[in-house]
């Protein structure tokens, strides 16, 4: 495509003055179809603006061969230029695996379904929704089984909640081992979930007065069983079959998962198969050897089910490089299993002073909350941190405070303040502060 010359621009200006609007219109259309309009605007900018920009004229748009939309088989994919992926780690037995959400370039609060973190103890079972049943039995008046279709006939609810594995940030108890925020904090994700409140279904079959626990089991080979306190069951437990506007993904428990807003990830049983009401907890290995916190004195904290307030700066974060001084928007995520985030404070001076970050609204309970803070980087070494305060008044502790309280045997429930250091050359890395 020929680059329009400055003469053409002048000619157009003269035409303007000549008040021949019809000809002007036709001229414009001709230039548009010839792909010339960008060049003219650029030349006008060049002519009038000091410090003008070099405008690269795009290829003739009439010659661009578009991809045939039908080739996507009716289900879209992201741009080929977007390459973010979950980071998979697996045990020698590949059925036992974990994958981390790439939080560093996350925007807003929703995790794309294809990037939701995963924790599997026995791979991802393939379950035909037409033959799947949920069994509810034990201390109930009339035990029943429900197909997925039957569950979909109940009044539905849609709620946006995070799920965090209580092993998230386990690596950060002692020293700053891992590099990126994906590895340190990527075992939390947030989706819009649709399903039915468990309390709605339970009213159909009647739960006996002496039922104080519910044992939930999935249909994968892990035999994962968790004991859920009855209060949570009646409060906000959900049976979910949809995620972010479509059927729940196989990785997240297709066709049915238990969702316990704000409870540790492990209790959100996937491929949900049975719910048994009992008068005592099962003390399964998932609530004794796993997911309990061993103190220094040999005692163990069991059933630490509610995830405490936590936050992390996702940009800038470890592994990134700031190539200029000047303005940056610090941004990150905060969440709590105790309801809503009340405020997030950010320090850019190694914890000496703290400023209130802006919070993305609406503020939803047990949901990721996006925070933002404008910042000028002056090219000096900087330590940046964030801390979450939830609506109960609980303040996210430092790692030192956590260690003082729980000792160093702990593995799960690490919600300490995360620090990133930006060196004078703009390289960002993981650091620990007291
Ligand atoms: N049936 C079953 N449910 C399960 C698991 C599993 O392996 N099997 N993993 C649990 C763990 S440890 C976590 S942290 C969450 C992870 O949910 P996600 O894979 O959808 O992120 O699911 C929980 N539910
Ligand atoms: Mo987990």
């Amino acid at each position: 495509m020929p680059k329009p010359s400055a003469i053409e621009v002048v000619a157009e200006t003269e035409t303007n003055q000549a008040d021949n609007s019809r000809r002007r219109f036709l001229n414009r259309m001709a230039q548009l179809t010839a792909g010339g309009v960008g060049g003219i605007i650029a030349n006008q900018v060049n002519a009038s603006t000091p410090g003008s920009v070099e405008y690269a004229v795009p290829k003739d748009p009439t010659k661009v061969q578009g991809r045939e939309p039908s080739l996507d088989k009716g289900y879209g994919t992201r741009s080929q230029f977007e390459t973010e992926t979950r980071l998979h780690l697996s045990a020698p037995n590949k059925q036992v695996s974990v994958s981390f959400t790439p939080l560093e370039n996350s925007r807003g609060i929703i995790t794309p379904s294809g990037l939701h973190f995963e924790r599997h103890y026995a791979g991802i079972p393939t379950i035909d929704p037409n033959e799947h049943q949920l069994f509810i039995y034990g201390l109930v008046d009339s035990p029943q089984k429900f197909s997925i279709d039957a569950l979909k006939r109940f009044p539905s609810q849609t709620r946006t909640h995070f799920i965090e594995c209580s092993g998230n940030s386990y690596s950060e108890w002692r020293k700053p081992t891992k590099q990126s925020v994906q590895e340190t904090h990527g075992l939390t994700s947030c989706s819009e979930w649709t399903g039915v409140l468990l309390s709605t279904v339970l009213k159909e079959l009647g739960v006996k007065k002496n039922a104080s626990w519910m044992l939930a089991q999935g249909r994968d080979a892990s035999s994962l069983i968790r004991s859920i306190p009855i209060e949570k069951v009646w409060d906000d437990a959900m049976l979910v079959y949809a995620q972010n506007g479509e059927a729940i993904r196989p990785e997240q428990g297709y066709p049915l998962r238990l969702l316990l807003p704000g409870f540790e990830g492990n209790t959100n049983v996937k491929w949900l198969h049975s719910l048994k009401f009992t008068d005592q907890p099962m003390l399964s290995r998932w609530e004794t050897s796993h997911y309990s916190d061993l103190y220094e004195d040999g005692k163990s904290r069991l059933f630490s089910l509610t995830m405490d307030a936590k936050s992390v700066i996702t940009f800038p974060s470890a592994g990134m490089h700031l190539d200029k001084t000047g303005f940056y928007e610090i941004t990150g995520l905060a969440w709590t299993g105790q309801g809503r985030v009340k405020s997030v404070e950010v320090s850019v001076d190694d914890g000496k002073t703290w400023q209130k970050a802006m919070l993305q609204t609406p503020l939803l309970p047990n949901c990721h909350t996006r925070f933002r803070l404008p910042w000028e980087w002056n090219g000096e070494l900087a330590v940046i941190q964030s801390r979450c305060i939830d609506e109960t008044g609980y303040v996210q502790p430092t790692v030192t405070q956590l260690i003082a309280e729980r000792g160093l045997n702990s593995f799960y429930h690490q919600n300490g303040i995360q620090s990133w250091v930006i060196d004078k050359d703009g390289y960002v890395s993981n650091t620990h502060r007291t």
Side-chain angles (χ1 to χ4, degrees), residues 180-393:
S180 73
V181 69
Q182 178 170 25
E183 292 160 289
T184 59
H185 288 75
L187 295 182
T188 185
S189 301
C190 186
S191 290
E192 186 202 76
W193 307 98
T194 298
V196 50
L197 278 174
L198 184 49
S199 58
T200 307
V201 177
L202 292 180
K203 281 171 199 152
E204 287 277 302
L205 27 84
V207 176
K208 291 203 190 299
K209 283 222 163 57
N210 58 338
S212 48
W213 293 83
M214 179 186 81
L215 313 184
Q217 186 164 26
R219 228 178 108 176
D220 55 333
S222 72
S223 326
L224 181 104
I225 301 190
R226 287 301 308 253
S227 316
I228 313 301
I230 197 84
E231 296 76 22
K232 185 68 176 172
V233 171
W234 287 115
D235 183 18
D236 58 358
M238 280 176 84
L239 303 172
V240 304
Y241 43 75
Q243 176 186 10
N244 298 332
E246 61 181 353
I248 190 170
R249 292 280 168 111
E251 298 90 321
Q252 266 65 62
Y254 183 89
L256 191 70
R257 122 176 268 168
L258 179 64
L259 187 79
L260 301 174
F263 266 29
E264 65 181 353
N266 186 262
T267 61
N268 293 258
V269 178
K270 301 188 278 190
W271 314 293
L272 186 65
H273 173 64
S274 74
L275 299 173
K276 181 182 182 186
F277 286 83
T278 61
D279 58 4
Q280 52 190 312
M282 182 166 184
L283 295 175
S284 71
R285 76 182 173 101
W286 310 98
E287 40 212 36
T288 50
S289 83
H290 282 50
Y291 304 106
S292 58
D293 307 310
L294 181 61
Y295 289 132
E296 297 280 308
D297 65 2
K299 287 192 177 151
S300 219
R301 183 169 80 132
L302 303 184
F303 297 105
S304 36
L305 299 171
T306 303
M307 299 305 289
D308 283 326
K310 188 164 170 179
S311 69
V312 67
I313 294 173
T314 53
F315 178 88
S317 60
M320 293 183 181
H321 178 239
L322 306 184
D323 55 3
K324 298 183 191 68
T325 56
F327 176 79
Y328 286 94
E329 181 181 72
I330 293 178
T331 183
L333 291 167
W335 61 96
T336 171
Q338 301 276 12
R340 286 179 174 81
V341 168
K342 192 170 94 194
S343 63
V344 177
E345 296 173 345
V346 172
S347 174
V348 294
D349 57 7
D350 206 353
K352 287 194 227 20
T353 60
W354 295 83
Q355 308 172 54
K356 268 207 164 123
M358 293 177 285
L359 302 185
Q360 178 182 309
T361 54
L363 293 173
L364 301 170
N366 305 312
C367 185
H368 277 180
T369 299
R370 172 66 57 183
F371 67 86
R372 302 178 168 102
L373 185 84
W375 177 54
E376 288 281 324
W377 181 49
N378 60 10
E380 294 297 310
L381 187 120
V383 174
I384 59 173
Q385 299 162 311
S386 66
R387 69 179 174 210
C388 175
I389 297 132
D390 72 21
E391 64 181 342
T392 69

Side-chain angles (χ1 to χ4, degrees), residues 119 165-166 266 291:
R119 181 67 174 121
C165 176
S166 40
N266 186 262
Y291 304 106

